[in-house]
Amino acid sequence: MQLTTYIADLLYRYECVIIPGFGAFLTRYKSAHIDYATNTFNPPSKIVSFNKQLQANDGLFANYVASVEKCSYETALQQIRKFTAEISTALSEGKTISFKNIGDFSLNEEKSLQFEPLHQQNFSTSAFGLASFVSPKISREVYKETVEALEDKAPIIFTPKRKEAKPYLKYAAIAVIALSAIGFGSLKLYENQVQQFNYAERQKANSLVENQIQEATFVIENPLPVLSLQLPKHTGIYHIVAGAYREEANADKKMQQLRDKGFLPLKMQPTRYGLHQVLYASFADRLEAQQKLHEIQKTENADAWLLVQDIQ
Protein backbone atom coordinates (compact mmCIF):
# COMPACT_ATOMS: atom_id res chain seq x y z
CA MET A 1 0.00 0.00 0.00
CA GLN A 2 1.77 3.09 -1.30
CA LEU A 3 -0.34 5.45 0.83
CA THR A 4 1.17 4.04 4.03
CA THR A 5 4.57 5.29 2.85
CA TYR A 6 3.11 8.80 2.46
CA ILE A 7 1.72 8.60 6.01
CA ALA A 8 5.15 7.67 7.37
CA ASP A 9 6.71 10.61 5.48
CA LEU A 10 4.25 13.06 7.07
CA LEU A 11 4.82 11.68 10.58
CA TYR A 12 8.42 12.90 10.42
CA ARG A 13 7.19 16.48 9.88
CA TYR A 14 3.83 16.78 11.68
CA GLU A 15 2.42 15.81 15.07
CA CYS A 16 -1.02 14.91 13.70
CA VAL A 17 -1.81 13.17 10.38
CA ILE A 18 -5.54 12.57 9.78
CA ILE A 19 -6.72 9.81 7.40
CA PRO A 20 -10.21 11.02 6.36
CA GLY A 21 -12.89 8.52 7.36
CA PHE A 22 -10.47 6.28 9.28
CA GLY A 23 -8.65 8.09 12.12
CA ALA A 24 -5.57 10.08 13.02
CA PHE A 25 -1.97 9.21 13.84
CA LEU A 26 -0.55 11.30 16.69
CA THR A 27 3.07 11.66 17.78
CA ARG A 28 4.52 12.88 21.06
CA TYR A 29 8.12 13.51 22.05
CA LYS A 30 9.91 11.20 24.47
CA SER A 31 13.30 12.21 25.85
CA ALA A 32 16.32 9.92 26.03
CA HIS A 33 16.11 7.38 28.84
CA ILE A 34 17.91 4.38 30.34
CA ASP A 35 16.36 0.97 30.86
CA TYR A 36 18.11 -0.10 34.06
CA ALA A 37 16.74 -3.64 33.83
CA THR A 38 18.62 -4.31 30.58
CA ASN A 39 21.29 -1.52 30.81
CA THR A 40 19.99 -0.13 27.52
CA PHE A 41 20.49 3.53 26.51
CA ASN A 42 17.64 4.79 24.29
CA PRO A 43 17.87 8.02 22.21
CA PRO A 44 15.13 10.72 22.04
CA SER A 45 12.13 9.60 20.00
CA LYS A 46 8.58 10.38 18.83
CA ILE A 47 5.99 7.83 20.00
CA VAL A 48 3.12 7.10 17.59
CA SER A 49 -0.46 6.56 18.77
CA PHE A 50 -3.83 6.33 16.99
CA ASN A 51 -7.14 8.12 17.63
CA LYS A 52 -10.18 6.82 15.75
CA GLN A 53 -12.33 9.83 16.78
CA LEU A 54 -10.36 12.29 14.59
CA GLN A 55 -11.68 11.58 11.08
CA ALA A 56 -12.54 15.04 9.67
CA ASN A 57 -10.49 15.90 6.61
CA ASP A 58 -8.03 18.74 7.29
CA GLY A 59 -6.54 18.59 3.78
CA LEU A 60 -2.98 17.72 4.85
CA PHE A 61 -2.89 14.08 3.72
CA ALA A 62 -4.91 14.61 0.52
CA ASN A 63 -2.81 17.60 -0.53
CA TYR A 64 0.41 15.64 0.03
CA VAL A 65 -0.90 12.70 -2.05
CA ALA A 66 -1.92 15.08 -4.84
CA SER A 67 1.55 16.70 -4.81
CA VAL A 68 3.46 13.40 -4.93
CA GLU A 69 1.16 11.62 -7.39
CA LYS A 70 0.89 14.79 -9.54
CA CYS A 71 -2.89 14.53 -9.67
CA SER A 72 -5.82 16.74 -8.69
CA TYR A 73 -7.00 17.12 -5.13
CA GLU A 74 -10.30 15.36 -5.94
CA THR A 75 -8.44 12.35 -7.41
CA ALA A 76 -6.31 12.12 -4.28
CA LEU A 77 -9.45 12.08 -2.11
CA GLN A 78 -10.88 9.23 -4.18
CA GLN A 79 -7.67 7.21 -3.67
CA ILE A 80 -7.86 7.79 0.10
CA ARG A 81 -11.54 6.73 0.25
CA LYS A 82 -10.73 3.53 -1.67
CA PHE A 83 -7.76 2.88 0.64
CA THR A 84 -9.83 3.23 3.83
CA ALA A 85 -12.63 1.06 2.41
CA GLU A 86 -10.18 -1.77 1.66
CA ILE A 87 -8.73 -1.54 5.18
CA SER A 88 -12.18 -1.62 6.82
CA THR A 89 -13.18 -4.67 4.77
CA ALA A 90 -10.02 -6.57 5.63
CA LEU A 91 -10.38 -5.77 9.34
CA SER A 92 -14.00 -6.95 9.38
CA GLU A 93 -12.79 -10.28 7.97
CA GLY A 94 -10.51 -10.72 10.98
CA LYS A 95 -7.27 -9.85 9.22
CA THR A 96 -4.37 -7.88 10.70
CA ILE A 97 -3.39 -4.84 8.60
CA SER A 98 0.25 -3.73 8.74
CA PHE A 99 1.27 -0.16 7.96
CA LYS A 100 4.89 -0.25 6.87
CA ASN A 101 7.24 1.39 9.41
CA ILE A 102 4.24 2.48 11.54
CA GLY A 103 2.39 -0.44 13.17
CA ASP A 104 -0.40 -3.04 12.95
CA PHE A 105 -4.21 -2.74 13.11
CA SER A 106 -6.65 -5.47 14.19
CA LEU A 107 -10.05 -5.97 15.82
CA ASN A 108 -10.38 -7.47 19.29
CA GLU A 109 -13.17 -9.76 20.51
CA GLU A 110 -15.46 -6.74 21.08
CA LYS A 111 -14.84 -5.63 17.47
CA SER A 112 -12.95 -2.56 18.68
CA LEU A 113 -10.04 -1.28 16.60
CA GLN A 114 -6.61 -1.96 18.16
CA PHE A 115 -3.30 -0.36 17.10
CA GLU A 116 0.13 -1.70 18.01
CA PRO A 117 2.93 0.76 17.04
CA LEU A 118 6.27 -0.39 15.70
CA HIS A 119 8.59 0.46 18.58
CA GLN A 120 11.77 0.13 16.52
CA GLN A 121 10.76 3.05 14.28
CA ASN A 122 11.80 6.55 15.41
CA PHE A 123 10.09 9.52 13.72
CA SER A 124 12.21 12.16 15.48
CA THR A 125 14.45 13.91 12.95
CA SER A 126 16.63 15.31 15.76
CA ALA A 127 17.64 11.73 16.68
CA PHE A 128 18.48 10.66 13.12
CA GLY A 129 21.31 8.12 13.11
CA LEU A 130 21.07 7.42 16.85
CA ALA A 131 20.28 3.86 17.94
CA SER A 132 19.82 2.13 21.27
CA PHE A 133 22.85 0.40 22.73
CA VAL A 134 23.60 -1.81 25.74
CA SER A 135 26.42 -0.92 28.13
CA PRO A 136 27.69 -3.29 30.87
CA LYS A 137 27.11 -2.13 34.41
CA ILE A 138 30.10 -0.46 36.08
CA SER A 139 30.97 -1.98 39.45
CA ARG A 140 32.41 1.04 41.21
CA GLU A 141 32.33 -0.54 44.68
CA VAL A 142 34.69 -3.34 43.60
CA TYR A 143 37.27 -0.87 42.31
CA LYS A 144 36.99 1.19 45.50
CA GLU A 145 37.64 -1.85 47.71
CA THR A 146 40.65 -2.83 45.57
CA VAL A 147 42.18 0.65 45.89
CA GLU A 148 41.61 0.73 49.64
CA ALA A 149 43.34 -2.65 50.02
CA LEU A 150 46.37 -1.40 48.06
CA GLU A 151 46.58 1.75 50.19
CA ASP A 152 46.60 -0.36 53.36
CA LYS A 153 49.51 -2.46 52.08
CA ALA A 154 51.59 0.33 50.51
CA PRO A 155 50.53 3.81 51.64
CA ILE A 156 51.59 6.65 49.41
CA ILE A 157 53.24 9.64 51.13
CA PHE A 158 53.60 12.91 49.27
CA THR A 159 56.53 15.09 50.37
CA PRO A 160 56.22 18.67 49.18
CA LYS A 161 59.40 20.17 47.76
CA ARG A 162 59.98 23.90 47.76
CA LYS A 163 61.27 25.26 44.50
CA GLU A 164 64.01 27.83 44.65
CA ALA A 165 63.04 31.15 43.20
CA LYS A 166 65.23 32.33 40.34
CA PRO A 167 66.03 36.05 40.69
CA TYR A 168 66.42 36.75 36.98
CA LEU A 169 62.76 35.85 36.35
CA LYS A 170 61.69 38.73 38.61
CA TYR A 171 63.60 41.29 36.55
CA ALA A 172 62.27 39.84 33.29
CA ALA A 173 58.69 40.20 34.53
CA ILE A 174 59.31 43.85 35.49
CA ALA A 175 60.65 44.56 32.00
CA VAL A 176 57.61 42.97 30.34
CA ILE A 177 55.24 45.06 32.47
CA ALA A 178 57.10 48.28 31.61
CA LEU A 179 57.03 47.58 27.86
CA SER A 180 53.31 46.77 28.05
CA ALA A 181 52.61 50.09 29.80
CA ILE A 182 54.49 52.05 27.12
CA GLY A 183 52.68 50.22 24.31
CA PHE A 184 49.30 50.81 25.93
CA GLY A 185 49.95 54.53 26.32
CA SER A 186 50.97 54.84 22.65
CA LEU A 187 47.88 52.96 21.56
CA LYS A 188 45.55 55.24 23.55
CA LEU A 189 47.20 58.33 22.04
CA TYR A 190 46.71 56.94 18.51
CA GLU A 191 43.06 56.11 19.19
CA ASN A 192 42.38 59.65 20.44
CA GLN A 193 43.88 61.13 17.28
CA VAL A 194 41.76 58.83 15.07
CA GLN A 195 38.57 59.74 16.93
CA GLN A 196 39.25 63.47 16.58
CA PHE A 197 39.89 63.09 12.83
CA ASN A 198 36.71 61.02 12.31
CA TYR A 199 34.63 63.57 14.24
CA ALA A 200 35.91 66.46 12.12
CA GLU A 201 35.23 64.59 8.85
CA ARG A 202 31.74 63.62 9.98
CA GLN A 203 30.92 67.27 10.75
CA LYS A 204 32.05 68.27 7.26
CA ALA A 205 29.89 65.56 5.66
CA ASN A 206 26.80 66.56 7.64
CA SER A 207 27.22 70.20 6.69
CA LEU A 208 27.58 69.28 2.99
CA VAL A 209 24.43 67.10 3.05
CA GLU A 210 22.38 69.87 4.72
CA ASN A 211 23.44 72.38 2.06
CA GLN A 212 22.48 69.98 -0.75
CA ILE A 213 19.06 69.31 0.82
CA GLN A 214 18.34 73.05 1.13
CA GLU A 215 19.26 73.58 -2.53
CA ALA A 216 17.05 70.65 -3.69
CA THR A 217 13.95 71.69 -1.68
CA PHE A 218 10.99 72.81 -3.82
CA VAL A 219 7.25 73.37 -3.33
CA ILE A 220 4.45 71.65 -5.31
CA GLU A 221 1.57 74.12 -5.83
CA ASN A 222 -1.02 71.49 -6.85
CA PRO A 223 -0.19 68.28 -4.99
CA LEU A 224 -1.74 65.05 -6.22
CA PRO A 225 -4.45 63.42 -4.07
CA VAL A 226 -3.36 60.64 -1.76
CA LEU A 227 -4.25 57.21 -3.12
CA SER A 228 -5.28 54.62 -0.48
CA LEU A 229 -5.32 50.97 -1.47
CA GLN A 230 -7.05 48.32 0.62
CA LEU A 231 -5.22 45.07 -0.04
CA PRO A 232 -6.23 41.75 1.51
CA LYS A 233 -3.83 40.52 4.13
CA HIS A 234 -3.28 36.81 4.60
CA THR A 235 -1.38 36.18 7.80
CA GLY A 236 -0.92 33.03 9.85
CA ILE A 237 0.02 29.47 8.94
CA TYR A 238 -3.52 28.03 8.63
CA HIS A 239 -5.02 28.65 5.18
CA ILE A 240 -8.41 27.58 3.76
CA VAL A 241 -7.82 26.42 0.17
CA ALA A 242 -10.59 26.83 -2.41
CA GLY A 243 -8.78 24.73 -5.00
CA ALA A 244 -5.47 23.84 -6.67
CA TYR A 245 -5.25 24.31 -10.45
CA ARG A 246 -2.76 23.15 -13.04
CA GLU A 247 -3.65 26.06 -15.37
CA GLU A 248 -3.15 29.56 -13.97
CA ALA A 249 -6.11 30.83 -16.02
CA ASN A 250 -8.42 28.53 -14.05
CA ALA A 251 -6.96 29.85 -10.80
CA ASP A 252 -7.59 33.45 -11.95
CA LYS A 253 -11.17 32.52 -12.84
CA LYS A 254 -11.69 31.09 -9.36
CA MET A 255 -10.21 34.27 -7.85
CA GLN A 256 -12.80 36.42 -9.68
CA GLN A 257 -15.65 34.13 -8.58
CA LEU A 258 -14.61 34.48 -4.93
CA ARG A 259 -14.34 38.28 -5.27
CA ASP A 260 -17.88 38.39 -6.66
CA LYS A 261 -19.04 36.53 -3.54
CA GLY A 262 -17.40 39.05 -1.21
CA PHE A 263 -14.22 37.12 -0.33
CA LEU A 264 -10.69 38.55 -0.43
CA PRO A 265 -8.89 35.61 -2.05
CA LEU A 266 -5.16 35.11 -2.50
CA LYS A 267 -3.36 33.14 -5.19
CA MET A 268 -0.20 31.50 -3.85
CA GLN A 269 3.02 31.00 -5.75
CA PRO A 270 3.00 27.77 -7.81
CA THR A 271 4.10 24.68 -5.90
CA ARG A 272 7.10 22.66 -7.06
CA TYR A 273 4.58 20.49 -8.94
CA GLY A 274 3.13 23.47 -10.83
CA LEU A 275 -0.18 23.77 -8.94
CA HIS A 276 -1.74 27.22 -8.39
CA GLN A 277 -3.56 27.23 -5.02
CA VAL A 278 -6.32 29.80 -4.33
CA LEU A 279 -7.04 30.71 -0.70
CA TYR A 280 -10.31 31.82 0.89
CA ALA A 281 -8.61 33.20 4.01
CA SER A 282 -5.73 32.69 6.44
CA PHE A 283 -5.67 32.43 10.23
CA ALA A 284 -3.09 32.34 13.00
CA ASP A 285 -5.33 30.23 15.27
CA ARG A 286 -6.01 26.63 14.24
CA LEU A 287 -9.41 26.43 16.00
CA GLU A 288 -10.64 29.59 14.28
CA ALA A 289 -9.46 28.23 10.93
CA GLN A 290 -11.26 24.91 11.52
CA GLN A 291 -14.52 26.70 12.36
CA LYS A 292 -14.32 28.84 9.21
CA LEU A 293 -13.46 25.74 7.13
CA HIS A 294 -16.56 23.90 8.36
CA GLU A 295 -18.70 26.94 7.57
CA ILE A 296 -17.33 27.17 4.02
CA GLN A 297 -17.71 23.41 3.46
CA LYS A 298 -21.39 23.62 4.45
CA THR A 299 -22.30 26.78 2.50
CA GLU A 300 -19.78 27.26 -0.31
CA ASN A 301 -17.45 24.39 -1.18
CA ALA A 302 -17.59 20.87 0.29
CA ASP A 303 -14.10 20.12 -1.06
CA ALA A 304 -12.37 23.08 0.65
CA TRP A 305 -9.47 21.97 2.84
CA LEU A 306 -7.00 23.34 5.37
CA LEU A 307 -3.36 23.98 4.44
CA VAL A 308 -0.78 24.35 7.22
CA GLN A 309 2.15 26.32 5.78
CA ASP A 310 4.15 29.49 6.41
CA ILE A 311 3.78 31.64 3.26
CA GLN A 312 5.82 34.64 4.51
Side-chain angles (χ1 to χ4, degrees), residues 18 27 64 86 188 215 217 224 243:
I18 298 177
T27 62
Y64 184 75
E86 293 175 352
K188 292 297 292 182
E215 293 175 359
T217 301
L224 297 176

Side-chain angles (χ1 to χ4, degrees), residues 72-118:
S72 66
Y73 180 77
E74 291 74 14
T75 302
L77 281 177
Q78 292 177 2
Q79 294 184 20
I80 295 173
R81 295 191 185 103
K82 180 179 178 182
F83 171 70
T84 55
E86 293 175 352
I87 294 175
S88 301
T89 302
L91 289 172
S92 63
E93 295 174 354
K95 297 180 181 179
T96 299
I97 304 300
S98 297
F99 280 36
K100 184 179 179 182
N101 297 329
I102 300 176
D104 299 331
F105 286 95
S106 61
L107 296 180
N108 59 13
E109 296 179 355
E110 290 78 17
K111 301 301 181 181
S112 296
L113 185 62
Q114 303 295 314
F115 173 66
E116 181 63 29
L118 185 64

Side-chain angles (χ1 to χ4, degrees), residues 56-59 73 77 240-241 263 280 289-306:
N57 180 25
D58 64 350
Y73 180 77
L77 281 177
I240 300 178
V241 181
F263 291 99
Y280 278 104
Q290 288 281 12
Q291 293 175 347
K292 188 63 176 179
L293 173 63
H294 294 161
E295 178 185 339
I296 291 176
Q297 288 176 338
K298 291 181 180 179
T299 59
E300 292 289 338
N301 183 1
D303 293 328
W305 51 280
L306 186 66

Side-chain angles (χ1 to χ4, degrees), residues 68 80 109 134 181 275:
V68 177
I80 295 173
E109 296 179 355
V134 179
L275 296 176

Side-chain angles (χ1 to χ4, degrees), residues 189-218:
L189 179 60
Y190 174 73
E191 289 179 351
N192 292 335
Q193 293 176 351
V194 170
Q195 291 178 357
Q196 292 176 0
F197 176 79
N198 290 342
Y199 178 78
E201 292 298 319
R202 185 164 58 250
Q203 291 295 106
K204 293 179 181 179
N206 291 339
S207 177
L208 180 60
V209 170
E210 290 178 358
N211 292 335
Q212 292 177 348
I213 292 175
Q214 292 176 358
E215 293 175 359
T217 301
F218 57 91

